[in-house]
Amino acid sequence: MSDTHDLFARTSSILRMPVWYAPGVHEERELSLEPGAYKVTPGENGSRWTVTLLKTGETVYNGIGPVEVIRA
């Protein structure tokens, strides 16, 4: 018997970002909404990368990059 609750479950995302103390190492943080709910803005000319929640404009990340928001 299948569980229809899983059929309509909301997907979450993972914010994947580099760590400052080691090249090639990443940290991951779970985000509550699907990847399309976030905007990733690359840092230019040494600027910090930002990830913003599109619906509210809230900044959920502001730091070193590159970063990506992927499906959990």
Side-chain angles (χ1 to χ4, degrees):
M1 180 152 98
S2 65
D3 185 0
T4 56
H5 177 71
D6 289 340
L7 181 64
F8 298 106
R10 296 187 83 170
T11 58
S12 60
S13 303
I14 294 174
L15 172 60
R16 190 169 192 240
M17 60 235 157
V19 296
W20 61 269
Y21 54 83
V25 178
H26 293 89
E27 179 181 345
E28 294 182 346
R29 184 171 69 191
E30 188 172 343
L31 299 174
S32 58
L33 302 173
E34 67 250 8
Y38 301 93
K39 177 183 177 186
V40 176
T41 305
E44 295 180 20
N45 301 323
S47 296
R48 298 170 73 82
W49 286 57
T50 57
V51 177
T52 335
L53 182 57
L54 289 172
K55 186 174 183 178
T56 64
E58 173 190 359
T59 299
V60 295
Y61 177 80
N62 181 8
I64 61 173
V67 299
E68 60 184 336
V69 177
I70 56 176
R71 189 167 307 281

